[in-house]
Amino acid sequence: MIFSRDIGIDLGTSTTLVADQRGRIIINEPSVAAVDVKTKNVLATGVEAKKMIGRTPGSIVPVMPIREGVIADFDMTSDMLHDFMRRSSRRGMFTKTRVVVSVPCSITEVERRAVEDAVRSAGAQEVELVEAPMAAALGAGLPVFEPTGSMIVDIGGGTCDIAVITLGNVASCRSEKIGGDAFDNAIVEYMKKTHSLLIGDRTAEDIKLKLGSVAEYDGEAAMEVRGRQLEDGLPGSAEVTSADIREVLIPLADEIIVAIKETLEATLPELAADILDRGIYLTGGGAKLRGLRDKIEEEIAIPVTVPDKCEECVAVGTSIQLRRG
């Protein structure tokens, strides 16, 4: 007898989540692989590999194989997925693995094929691709198979996917290269220009989580940021405040809002009326940025909902697609 192992994968730029068929998250780790450049062997993946970023000798290189939602390094993606899939369950000798994996809505056929091939190379026998906004809508519990319009804005690490869904299909969709990584990069550039201080991605992410916002909030604070001074290369520090970081992040939030407006303008009137009634659903890790929900709601004049565990919606949606298959 051949036993089937079914899993859903949210293959993200910054984080990969693996869900079982019941929708339980069994892997939630950074999309990172640590590679020995001499042997080309993958030494660690996920959390362990991320710990090595900025702290490894020259022979060990942390690689982020997913860029802006698509595969940038096929072999590393395959090796990373193989390790995640191995750790997600005990695979028996006669086990068949079926995988549903999410992809950005703007992905090309070549990029789709690369994702499918990488998942098969990692050990899957059957692979189904589902667009990230559709998976997010399923995971958020939206009535995607009814003749009514639902709007989802999924903000991941590398992309922001905006889609209007009806009758089980994506009626309109656009993908912007704005996400958690873009927020982090903006903070890195700000520290360079304003404080002549070079910081790493992990430090930028820490600043974003502690101080990041696109609107004023209670409990605003300041923190000391340490890095390397650009003038002399020596260690240095600078203080930044919530207000400083807000000015950095607001322009990116404005770009997301413009994209939402343009998507609504291209939506059929009947579907637009449904969205006005039901509102916009905001998912992905980027949905947790302070003030973003209220800013979108205020500028578009449509209610915005952020589901509980919004960062898990896509992964849960892939598991729902598994059950439908």
Side-chain angles (χ1 to χ4, degrees):
M1 178 180 293
I2 296 178
F3 297 95
S4 178
R5 177 182 62 160
D6 299 344
I7 56 175
I9 300 177
D10 173 9
L11 184 59
T13 299
S14 58
T15 306
T16 294
L17 289 84
V18 179
D20 65 13
Q21 198 170 12
R22 298 180 182 178
R24 296 177 299 187
I25 305 300
I26 47 182
I27 296 284
N28 182 353
E29 299 199 16
S31 302
V32 184
V35 184
D36 187 325
V37 295
K38 296 178 180 178
T39 64
K40 304 298 183 184
N41 291 332
V42 174
L43 304 178
T45 63
V47 172
E48 291 304 314
K50 187 171 183 178
K51 290 178 182 177
M52 300 179 183
I53 293 178
R55 295 187 170 93
T56 58
S59 60
I60 301 175
V61 179
V63 176
M64 299 185 70
I66 310 296
R67 292 289 179 184
E68 296 176 343
V70 298
I71 292 176
D73 188 318
F74 180 89
D75 291 335
M76 289 303 104
T77 300
S78 178
D79 288 343
M80 181 183 73
L81 285 173
H82 180 271
D83 191 48
F84 287 159
M85 290 165 63
R86 176 188 61 80
R87 288 194 276 139
S88 68
S89 67
R90 295 179 180 271
R91 182 176 179 182
M93 184 175 178
F94 301 104
T95 300
K96 180 179 72 172
T97 303
R98 186 167 69 97
V99 175
V100 171
V101 58
S102 65
V103 294
C105 63
S106 62
I107 196 168
T108 66
E109 283 302 317
V110 172
E111 291 165 343
R112 290 176 69 92
R113 175 61 64 182
V115 172
E116 183 175 343
D117 289 348
V119 178
R120 288 187 184 277
S121 179
Q125 283 73 47
E126 293 183 17
V127 181
E128 178 184 351
L129 305 186
V130 60
E131 292 179 327
M134 175 62 78
L138 286 168
L142 298 183
V144 297
F145 300 106
E146 296 180 9
T148 183
S150 298
M151 187 173 206
I152 197 91
V153 179
D154 181 59
I155 308 174
T159 61
C160 172
D161 287 322
I162 305 164
V164 175
I165 298 169
T166 184
L167 290 171
N169 290 289
V170 176
S172 61
C173 179
R174 65 182 297 159
S175 184
E176 300 290 332
K177 294 178 180 178
I178 305 171
D181 287 355
F183 294 139
D184 295 345
N185 292 337
I187 293 172
V188 170
E189 291 302 313
Y190 166 78
M191 295 303 297
K192 283 183 186 176
K193 294 178 180 178
T194 306
H195 298 285
S196 296
L197 196 69
L198 182 63
I199 63 172
D201 294 339
R202 289 182 63 185
T203 301
E205 183 181 24
D206 189 44
I207 296 169
K208 178 183 67 179
L209 294 176
K210 290 180 178 178
L211 302 180
S213 71
V214 292
E216 293 184 14
Y217 64 95
D218 292 337
E220 293 196 0
M223 65 181 288
E224 182 185 31
V225 178
R226 297 178 180 179
R228 191 175 77 232
Q229 298 176 121
L230 293 176
E231 290 88 348
D232 53 21
L234 297 176
S237 65
E239 184 178 86
V240 295
T241 66
S242 299
D244 295 332
I245 302 305
R246 181 160 53 251
E247 293 305 310
V248 175
L249 301 183
I250 282 178
L252 294 172
D254 288 340
E255 289 185 46
I256 292 173
I257 290 170
V258 169
I260 294 172
K261 289 179 178 179
E262 291 177 351
T263 304
L264 285 169
E265 290 168 1
T267 300
L268 293 172
E270 291 81 2
L271 297 178
D274 293 336
I275 293 166
L276 187 62
D277 290 337
R278 181 170 288 110
I280 297 169
Y281 280 73
L282 200 59
T283 63
K288 299 164 76 173
L289 181 64
R290 296 181 188 89
L292 183 58
R293 183 190 72 84
D294 292 339
K295 183 175 178 62
I296 294 173
E297 195 170 80
E298 179 182 343
E299 297 201 19
I300 299 183
I302 295 176
V304 177
T305 299
V306 179
D308 294 336
K309 297 183 178 180
C310 56
E311 70 278 10
E312 297 181 2
C313 284
V314 172
V316 172
T318 61
S319 73
I320 293 173
Q321 186 67 19
L322 276 170
R323 297 196 292 271
R324 293 188 65 248

